[in-house]
Amino acid sequence: HLLILLLMFDDAYAAKAADSNESHLVGLNRSYAEEPTERVHVAELKWHSTSTAFIIVFWLFLACIAKLIFNRASSLTRIFPESSLLIAVGLAIGVLLEKTQVNKSIFTLDSHFFFLYLLPPIIFDAGYFMPNRALFKNWDSILLFSVVGTMFNALAIGFSLYLLSGVITFSHTFNMFEILQFSSLISAVDPVAVIAVFEEIRVNDFIFVNVFGEALFNDGITVVIYELFKQFSCIEEVKAIDFIAGAASFFVVSVGGLVVGILAAFLTAVFTKYSGHALILGPCFILLVPYMGYLAAETLSLSPIIAIAICGMSMKQYIKGNVSASAATSVKYFTKMLSSSSETVIFLFLGLSVVAKSVAIEWDLAFIGFTILLCIVIRTIGVIIQCAFLNRFRGKTFSMVDQFILCYGGLRGTIAFGLASSISSSVPAKDMFLTTTIAVIFFTVFLQGSTIRPLVNYLNVELKKSEEPTMAETVYNKYLDYIISGVEDIAGQKGHASLVHDFERLNNNFLCPILMKDHAKTRDFDATKIIRAYAKHTLRDAMSATKWYPQHKRVVAIQ
Amino acid sequence: MGWRGWILTLIIGSALLAAASAAESMEDYDDEEDEKLTRYPLMRVDFEGVKVPLIIAIWLVTASIAKIIFHHVPHLAEMFPDSSLLIMFGLIVGIILNLLNVDKNEFYLDNEVFMLYLLPPLVFDAGYFMPARQFFDNLGSILTFAMVGTTFNIVAIALSLWAVSLTGLFSIEMDVVQLLLFGSVAADVDPVAVIVIFEELGVNDVLFISVFGESLLNDGVSVVFYNIFKSFVEIGPENIITTDIVNGFFSYFIVCFGGLAVGLIFAAISAFITKYTQHVDILNPVFVLVIPYMAYLVGEMLSLSSIMAIVFCGAAMKMYVKENMPERSASAISYFIKVLSLSSETVIFVFLGLSTVSSDHHWDTSFIVLTVVFCFIYRTLGVVVLCHFLNKFRLQKFSKVDQFIMAYGGLRGAIAYGLAVALPNIPAKPMFVTSTIIIIYFTVFLQGMTLKPIAQFLQVEKKSEHEKNMTEYIYQELIDATMSGMEDIAGQKGHNWIRESFQSFNTKYIKKLLINKEALRNMDNTKIVRMYRRLQLQDAQDLVKGTGDFSKNQVFVNALIEHTRSRSNTVADSAAPYVINVKEVMEQHGIMDYDEMARLRGRTRSDPTTEARVKIVLPNGEHIV
């Protein structure tokens, strides 16, 4: 522990040194610029031109080193989730920098920067590795949670706080639209925080997909309500037409995001299909076109998160057929790396920017306490009601434990912080809102994030299977799907399974020929898994036929 | 072509239009900020916020698409090298954008962007994949070319131009120092252009490393000269005193060796950190990519040779980093370095074409023609003289053909352009920029295009395609050891002695420090053991495929021996003659014959549907169907 602390201080000092150097050097540079060069210098220092790139790279480096250290100190990570540790480091560095009077703009997380550069890799990664099958099986519950649940949360929290403000006097007054604006940002579950915590505890796909799907797709609704109330608080008189426009804009935002995402996926598939001769450019398209989709959605103020997630989900199948296997693995590897490093940077900066914003801290204990309480209570009520409703119609019902994890896993994160800092400064209670948002984030990430693992263990929540499904499982799954869709057919019902079946047929007959290279050869694409598995087994058998067992890493790589 | 060609044309057209309209619409949105909202809008367009990344992404994608299209047009890629096609594409886009009245600043290759963001991936790639052995074997000649050759070129070009300028032939007056400055721009052989052309050409390693090593290292030289002369120009030629010249001379060494030192230090840091990443495999790429970039930035910041820093960082860290990472991440990283460098190369060339349209020009025919001619003559002269000198000491001599290719392969490129753009504002600057661009075009187009046919005509020795087999490895090690032994006997501390002692130092100390224990343990298995394992793996795969000669197949023979042994234990007293049924052996040991399975399923192996679906990918990228 001492070592960690030492290293942490070391890092902080390095950062401080870099920063103070900067201020010093900028001055130096300016003096250079003013007077013409008089003599030739043997060596000179030019910090000015490289500073931006260097600061970015340096932070990235620092964040990764911090992550590396946590990983080696396993006793620490067993108790706290990584996200909370990173926030703590961020806080520590922030305090140090604050003490050394470094310019604050260097270490504030600009919400613009966050939304344009840090968020997309994480969401893309999430979409690209989304268990598609589990997602489609649970689309009804995810949609309900993310649309109705989020809306219910936002409105309930908002109105309760508004009512409370009549009873208790908070340090700032606010009107209804302002508090609704706040409640809409505070009620949204954050995909980044959810991934960070849930990837560590590794619950089963069913719970993961429900919590994470909600977090991902509630972006459409959160952004809409947030913007809606933000505009309402500016507009002098609110007419009915505004409500209608708001409701319509919800569809525009989410469906528009969806369309942009699918379009980007389509383009990526087409580009990679023809990249045959310049094969090495394949990954370039796979990463850039979705990002362009994200930016396009952001430009048109559609939901960029939905766009890039959908893009990643839908292009995966076609991409894999188009690029070479080594390209596919390196893309996989790289998305993982990009997302994990930007996640690290996000949490680090969350801690830092709290310190940077600390001038504006408005500590209103009553408000914070009530907000946290309401967040928990209303989320619980919402989940229970919705689950009760859903359980009537579903084959796989939500058990009590599932419901508890659903409630408890509703973590808040950086998106809320970004939205909170973009509340217009004309709102008098802005600082109080910002402080409360920070408090809620810390509460959920620290307290809920670090207690969720023991709770999961205690409640015996089914964990994710670590091994891949065996061949028999794959075959039987497929078989079951066919049977169910057959049964639905006989019953004359257009249900879930027949929908999937129809889509697969459409995909195989129309989409794949357009989007995939050499589709004629891979027409019976379903067969591949079995044959691949077969080839793998024979190879392993051949290996074990000799006394030489696969110890060497090359062999491991192949298997 | 057919309909596919049309579709592609359509796509590129629309992408172009998108880029153009994006660039145009940017200005429209500039001044719509402060509109008070009265009604809740259904949708808004907010371009200003995402402008920067979107434009970058669009440029990257457009350039990549252009590259793909070139390869889909038949015969085009065979005739022209990629670099010239991309420049041409950039030129066309530039003209179109110019006609659309887009602001020139939007598509101008800023020197800073080029130096800080586009160049590093490219040179890092060059360093990381540098054939280290060849490089150090030819270090002497590379250094001679890079230092002496470049200095000679710079001075000769500048003095000749100055001599001509005394006759009053040029439209702008210049003094010697300005011309020396220009000379240091024009004499700079460009690594980017050289890699592109020579990789397509596939010449042998010695030739490649000589030209390429020169182009990498002369960056140090030309940048130093450039900086010295730049400050001379700023000081004014009449104010120069001896201290300046002495300082300049010293800064030359500081810049080169400082860059080298920075590179090595960061390589050590990178290797040291990856030593501890066994459990967070996902962070490896960050360290492998980000730390060399930091080396580059630090080099740039201290005005050392940043190119040298990143090249040596890449070359030095590879050995250690590769051992610290699992095979999978190492290959993914290699792949990604290639992707990064290829895309930044693509963008560089496109922007070179674009900037031709967007920069200020001053056309002076006599100056341009003379510059091109001088560049060509002095390069040839320098190479011939230096080769003659070097051949006295070298075992493997530069033949006439080699010398020709080396002289002819001295391509100029984007670095020269970047330097030219960053010139101080002297009256001759537009003329310098124009003639730099012309030299680049001349070398990339004319020399780049004709280099391939000429190399074929002269029958330049090509790079050998196959990987070294075990015997070659063994013999090479043997020869190395023998040579260093002979040197020892002769009491000479030569090339081989240095290598040998470095290797023992490396295994004794550096590797212990920089490579994690587990990898080190695996590494103790010498090359031969590793080779043996690989061959065995190959055998196993052959067995699975059902091809190849079973009697030579190690794995199979082992299985057979196992089989007979176990059987002889049980049925030793049987009188019947012993029959080995191959099929039975294979079944008993779980080795299945693929052909047999296929036949049982009623399909033959040549069936394309099964063939394409079964792929085993070897670590070296081979596919086994």
Side-chain angles (χ1 to χ4, degrees):
Chain A
H1 285 241
L2 193 73
L3 183 90
I4 297 162
L5 260 161
L6 219 117
L7 269 165
M8 248 162 61
F9 278 117
D10 219 40
D11 290 347
Y13 276 122
K16 188 183 70 186
D19 290 326
S20 58
N21 256 356
E22 193 218 19
S23 50
H24 179 67
L25 285 171
V26 169
L28 211 123
N29 226 301
R30 207 174 297 126
S31 67
Y32 262 126
E34 275 161 15
E35 52 195 84
T37 333
E38 273 179 1
R39 290 278 79 91
V40 176
H41 300 277
V42 176
E44 58 182 323
L45 216 54
K46 33 177 190 178
W47 164 264
H48 193 67
S49 55
T50 53
S51 62
T52 328
F54 195 77
I55 289 178
I56 292 172
V57 168
F58 187 76
W59 277 120
L60 181 63
F61 178 68
L62 200 71
C64 289
I65 290 280
K67 192 170 170 147
L68 188 63
I69 291 169
F70 296 148
N71 226 284
R72 301 209 44 101
S74 51
S75 55
L76 206 64
T77 34
R78 216 172 294 139
I79 306 168
F80 297 106
E82 232 173 56
S83 43
S84 58
L85 285 174
L86 282 167
I87 293 181
V89 171
L91 272 173
I93 296 178
V95 170
L96 266 174
L97 289 180
E98 173 93 37
K99 285 262 159 41
T100 47
Q101 312 269 325
V102 180
N103 183 9
K104 271 186 183 155
S105 62
I106 295 172
F107 59 91
T108 358
L109 180 60
D110 185 13
S111 78
H112 193 70
F113 187 78
F114 167 73
F115 280 111
L116 286 192
Y117 303 105
L118 293 176
L119 191 59
I122 300 178
I123 305 295
F124 175 68
D125 171 70
Y128 197 73
F129 293 102
M130 178 76 84
N132 278 356
R133 205 187 140 84
L135 186 82
F136 284 120
K137 269 197 168 162
N138 295 300
W139 66 274
D140 47 351
S141 56
I142 291 171
L143 217 59
L144 191 76
F145 286 137
S146 60
V147 177
V148 180
T150 311
M151 200 122 80
F152 167 74
N153 266 293
L155 294 178
I157 295 173
F159 284 120
S160 340
L161 280 174
Y162 188 65
L163 290 179
L164 274 171
S165 72
V167 185
I168 312 159
T169 43
F170 297 122
S171 57
H172 284 284
T173 52
F174 39 77
N175 63 24
M176 195 166 74
F177 289 130
E178 282 165 12
I179 190 67
L180 279 172
Q181 199 180 330
F182 169 70
S183 70
S184 63
L185 71 89
I186 207 70
S187 63
V189 178
D190 187 70
V192 182
V194 167
I195 295 182
V197 170
F198 274 69
E199 280 207 335
E200 277 180 50
I201 56 174
R202 308 189 72 79
V203 292
N204 58 37
D205 268 356
F206 174 65
I207 295 182
F208 176 75
V209 120
N210 271 306
V211 178
F212 183 60
E214 178 197 344
L216 208 55
F217 293 107
N218 72 12
D219 174 67
I221 192 96
T222 320
V223 170
V224 170
I225 355 181
Y226 176 75
E227 286 294 329
L228 191 71
F229 293 127
K230 194 175 173 183
Q231 302 305 339
F232 280 2
S233 59
C234 300
I235 301 169
E236 285 82 15
E237 46 162 349
V238 179
K239 291 183 186 163
I241 183 101
D242 289 324
F243 283 105
I244 296 170
S249 89
F250 161 66
F251 287 103
V252 172
V253 167
S254 352
V255 178
L258 191 86
V259 171
V260 169
I262 289 174
L263 211 65
F266 179 79
L267 279 181
T268 320
V270 171
F271 287 156
T272 47
K273 183 182 175 184
Y274 291 104
S275 68
H277 292 280
L279 203 62
I280 211 135
L281 282 175
C284 206
F285 291 121
I286 299 174
L287 299 181
L288 275 175
V289 177
Y291 185 54
M292 277 168 75
Y294 182 91
L295 293 176
E298 179 87 38
T299 312
L300 301 171
S301 32
L302 305 173
S303 164
I305 293 184
I306 291 180
I308 198 167
I310 289 285
C311 178
M313 273 163 56
S314 47
M315 73 188 213
K316 182 166 49 177
Q317 182 194 355
Y318 310 111
I319 297 302
K320 277 192 178 157
N322 282 343
V323 296
S324 68
S326 57
T329 25
S330 68
V331 165
K332 205 164 121 183
Y333 200 77
F334 246 78
T335 21
K336 277 266 168 260
M337 165 223 144
L338 280 179
S339 78
S340 87
S341 51
S342 65
E343 192 185 296
T344 315
V345 171
I346 285 176
F347 284 115
L348 189 73
F349 265 86
L350 198 60
L352 272 171
S353 31
V354 170
V355 180
K357 293 232 157 92
S358 64
V359 184
I361 277 205
E362 287 275 343
W363 195 259
D364 184 338
L365 210 58
F367 189 72
I368 292 171
F370 275 115
T371 311
I372 291 176
L373 194 70
L374 280 171
C375 276
I376 294 171
V377 170
I378 289 176
R379 178 156 178 96
T380 315
I381 296 174
V383 167
I384 288 172
I385 294 175
Q386 289 171 69
C387 283
F389 175 74
L390 280 168
N391 278 347
R392 287 165 178 252
F393 301 101
R394 285 174 64 92
K396 183 168 170 61
T397 52
F398 291 95
S399 67
M400 282 317 247
V401 176
D402 291 344
Q403 292 181 24
F404 175 74
I405 297 290
L406 278 178
C407 301
Y408 206 71
L411 306 174
R412 269 65 163 184
T414 330
I415 294 183
F417 181 73
L419 288 177
S421 46
S422 70
I423 295 178
S424 78
S425 44
S426 60
V427 177
K430 183 189 172 182
D431 293 338
M432 185 174 77
F433 288 162
L434 195 58
T435 315
T436 314
T437 311
I438 291 169
V440 171
I441 293 171
F442 278 23
F443 180 81
T444 54
V445 171
F446 276 95
L447 214 72
Q448 294 185 201
S450 43
T451 48
I452 198 165
R453 196 204 303 255
L455 277 173
V456 162
N457 287 341
Y458 176 73
L459 292 173
N460 275 332
V461 177
E462 193 190 334
L463 292 186
K464 193 176 181 168
K465 284 187 224 105
S466 52
E467 75 268 22
E468 280 200 10
T470 60
M471 194 151 58
E473 273 178 312
T474 323
V475 172
Y476 275 107
N477 264 338
K478 202 86 216 164
Y479 181 60
L480 268 177
D481 282 353
Y482 281 132
I483 288 182
I484 293 175
S485 85
V487 170
E488 273 182 1
D489 237 17
I490 292 168
Q493 209 182 16
K494 278 277 168 202
H496 194 78
S498 64
L499 214 65
V500 171
H501 191 71
D502 285 349
F503 172 74
E504 266 178 12
R505 189 178 292 163
L506 175 84
N507 189 25
N508 212 24
N509 290 339
F510 296 100
L511 293 179
C512 288
I514 299 173
L515 298 176
M516 273 166 80
K517 204 188 283 175
D518 305 331
H519 180 66
K521 280 190 196 166
T522 52
R523 190 151 201 110
D524 314 312
F525 202 67
D526 296 336
T528 45
K529 219 180 236 165
I530 295 177
I531 293 196
R532 249 180 290 163
Y534 172 71
K536 217 159 77 180
H537 281 289
T538 41
L539 182 64
R540 198 168 62 195
D541 291 347
M543 296 293 214
S544 57
T546 63
K547 278 298 166 202
W548 171 55
Y549 290 104
Q551 301 154 327
H552 196 253
K553 52 183 176 179
R554 275 178 208 283
V555 184
V556 179
I558 286 182
Q559 288 182 342
Chain B
M1 288 288 281
W3 63 277
R4 281 200 301 176
W6 283 111
I7 288 182
L8 280 171
T9 329
L10 216 107
I11 292 171
I12 180 87
S14 55
L16 261 178
L17 271 180
S21 61
E24 251 198 318
S25 56
M26 262 178 305
E27 287 130 58
D28 303 343
Y29 284 101
D30 274 347
D31 37 26
E32 289 185 12
E33 290 268 317
D34 300 317
E35 258 178 58
K36 183 77 183 158
L37 275 167
T38 44
R39 285 276 77 88
Y40 185 75
L42 206 57
M43 254 177 80
R44 272 156 306 140
V45 180
D46 161 37
F47 186 74
E48 201 49 38
V50 297
K51 181 174 130 189
V52 181
L54 191 60
I55 299 269
I56 293 172
I58 287 178
W59 275 122
L60 262 173
V61 169
T62 319
S64 313
I65 293 172
K67 192 162 175 148
I68 286 176
I69 289 177
F70 293 146
H71 283 277
H72 274 271
V73 179
H75 306 304
L76 196 63
E78 291 158 28
M79 262 161 54
F80 299 93
D82 270 6
S83 45
S84 61
L85 284 174
L86 288 169
I87 291 182
M88 225 132 72
F89 172 74
L91 203 62
I92 293 165
V93 175
I95 291 168
I96 292 171
L97 289 181
N98 209 14
L99 289 178
L100 290 172
N101 283 326
V102 180
D103 185 13
K104 274 184 180 173
N105 288 329
E106 296 294 346
F107 58 93
Y108 177 75
L109 181 58
D110 189 9
N111 181 36
E112 203 162 283
V113 172
F114 171 72
M115 282 297 186
L116 287 189
Y117 304 104
L118 291 177
L119 195 57
L122 207 68
V123 274
F124 176 63
D125 168 73
Y128 194 75
F129 292 104
M130 172 129 63
R133 198 192 150 91
Q134 260 92 15
F135 184 78
F136 288 107
D137 280 355
N138 295 300
L139 191 64
S141 49
I142 291 170
L143 280 178
T144 317
F145 284 127
M147 293 186 166
V148 184
T150 311
T151 316
F152 166 73
N153 268 301
I154 292 171
V155 175
I157 291 172
L159 290 183
S160 318
L161 281 174
W162 182 62
V164 178
S165 79
L166 289 179
T167 63
L169 189 63
F170 304 137
S171 51
I172 299 174
E173 265 186 46
M174 301 148 279
D175 51 41
V176 191
V177 181
Q178 288 179 6
L179 277 171
L180 277 169
L181 184 57
F182 175 67
S184 64
V185 171
D188 189 10
V189 176
D190 189 72
V192 182
V194 168
I195 299 179
V196 174
I197 304 273
F198 275 69
E199 274 194 348
E200 273 181 50
L201 211 57
V203 295
N204 62 57
D205 273 346
V206 177
L207 201 54
F208 177 75
I209 203 69
S210 301
V211 180
F212 177 58
E214 177 199 346
S215 66
L216 272 182
L217 297 189
N218 79 1
D219 164 72
V221 181
S222 55
V223 169
V224 172
F225 275 112
Y226 177 81
N227 283 335
I228 296 170
F229 293 131
K230 193 175 163 189
S231 39
F232 280 178
V233 168
E234 275 164 5
I235 294 166
E238 59 280 354
N239 300 332
I240 298 172
I241 52 172
T242 4
T243 339
D244 291 330
I245 294 169
V246 173
N247 270 357
F249 182 72
F250 277 116
S251 80
Y252 174 81
F253 289 100
I254 288 182
V255 166
C256 290
F257 289 104
L260 186 76
V262 167
L264 293 182
I265 291 169
F266 276 89
I269 295 176
S270 166
F272 186 73
I273 291 176
T274 48
K275 188 177 169 183
Y276 297 102
T277 52
Q278 297 106 315
H279 303 291
V280 260
D281 187 25
I282 221 72
L283 287 180
N284 276 329
V286 181
F287 296 121
V288 177
L289 299 181
V290 161
I291 293 179
Y293 187 54
M294 279 169 87
Y296 184 88
L297 290 177
V298 167
E300 184 79 28
M301 208 187 304
L302 304 173
S303 33
L304 304 173
S305 169
S306 42
I307 293 185
M308 297 259 277
I310 196 170
V311 163
F312 278 100
C313 184
M317 69 193 246
K318 189 186 180 188
M319 185 180 9
Y320 311 107
V321 165
K322 259 199 154 170
E323 295 297 335
N324 280 334
M325 292 185 294
E327 181 83 15
R328 197 166 45 91
S329 38
S331 64
I333 288 172
S334 305
Y335 197 89
F336 233 79
I337 293 172
K338 279 266 171 249
V339 172
L340 279 178
S341 83
L342 193 69
S343 43
S344 71
E345 173 198 306
T346 311
V347 172
I348 286 176
F349 281 116
V350 169
F351 265 87
L352 207 58
L354 274 173
S355 313
T356 315
V357 183
S358 59
S359 49
D360 300 325
H361 292 293
H362 177 88
W363 185 270
D364 183 335
T365 317
S366 50
F367 185 78
I368 289 166
V369 171
L370 279 175
T371 315
V372 172
V373 170
F374 284 143
C375 278
F376 197 69
I377 289 175
Y378 288 124
R379 167 116 193 132
T380 318
L381 201 64
V383 167
V384 171
V385 171
L386 288 176
C387 280
H388 180 73
F389 172 73
L390 283 171
N391 274 348
K392 294 194 173 184
F393 300 98
R394 280 176 67 93
L395 209 57
Q396 189 180 6
K397 308 223 182 306
F398 291 111
S399 69
K400 282 273 180 294
V401 176
D402 288 346
Q403 291 179 24
F404 177 76
I405 296 288
M406 276 159 69
Y408 205 71
L411 305 175
R412 270 66 164 179
I415 294 183
Y417 175 76
L419 291 179
V421 170
L423 283 174
N425 278 321
I426 47 175
K429 184 182 172 184
M431 188 169 78
F432 286 166
V433 172
T434 311
S435 43
T436 310
I437 288 176
I438 296 295
I439 296 171
I440 295 169
Y441 276 37
F442 179 81
T443 52
V444 170
F445 275 85
L446 213 69
Q447 295 183 199
M449 259 163 60
T450 50
L451 197 56
K452 206 187 224 170
I454 290 177
Q456 265 162 8
F457 177 73
L458 293 176
Q459 293 182 330
V460 177
E461 193 190 333
K462 285 281 166 68
K463 194 176 176 177
S464 53
E465 287 295 330
H466 75 283
E467 256 190 76
K468 278 186 195 157
N469 58 30
M470 191 152 53
T471 336
E472 274 175 286
Y473 265 123
I474 295 174
Y475 275 107
Q476 190 158 32
E477 288 285 306
L478 185 70
I479 290 173
D480 283 352
T482 318
M483 288 297 281
S484 75
M486 271 156 71
E487 275 181 5
D488 236 16
I489 293 169
Q492 208 182 14
K493 304 229 156 175
H495 191 80
N496 290 293
W497 177 80
I498 296 174
R499 183 169 52 224
E500 207 62 20
S501 41
F502 171 72
Q503 267 177 5
S504 66
F505 181 71
N506 190 19
T507 35
K508 259 187 203 152
Y509 303 104
I510 305 180
K511 279 190 177 170
K512 280 211 179 104
L513 188 68
L514 297 181
I515 296 179
N516 68 41
K517 281 188 196 118
E518 202 174 325
L520 212 56
R521 209 177 305 134
N522 277 342
M523 226 170 36
D524 288 339
N525 307 323
T526 47
K527 245 179 210 163
I528 294 176
V529 174
R530 262 189 274 177
M531 194 60 171
Y532 169 71
R533 285 189 173 169
R534 215 166 74 195
L535 287 180
Q536 206 171 22
L537 183 64
Q538 189 70 44
D539 281 353
Q541 271 156 353
D542 280 350
L543 195 63
V544 170
K545 273 199 302 181
T547 56
D549 189 355
F550 276 139
S551 63
K552 283 183 186 164
N553 195 314
Q554 271 263 320
V555 175
F556 183 71
V557 171
N558 273 4
L560 206 63
I561 292 168
E562 255 334 274
H563 181 79
T564 44
R565 199 177 287 153
S566 64
R567 176 154 288 220
S568 59
N569 288 340
T570 49
V571 285
D573 50 357
S574 166
Y578 184 61
V579 183
I580 300 172
N581 187 345
V582 173
K583 210 176 155 194
E584 205 174 287
V585 175
M586 290 174 75
E587 274 168 10
Q588 197 170 345
H589 288 269
I591 304 170
M592 293 195 214
D593 186 356
Y594 223 64
D595 276 341
E596 194 64 26
M597 292 297 291
R599 241 174 275 127
L600 285 179
R601 280 205 313 273
R603 276 182 184 163
T604 51
R605 286 253 318 141
S606 56
D607 188 350
T609 52
T610 50
E611 230 170 41
R613 270 180 274 128
V614 188
K615 271 185 188 167
I616 302 163
V617 185
L618 287 180
N620 55 7
E622 269 181 57
H623 291 251
I624 293 179
V625 178

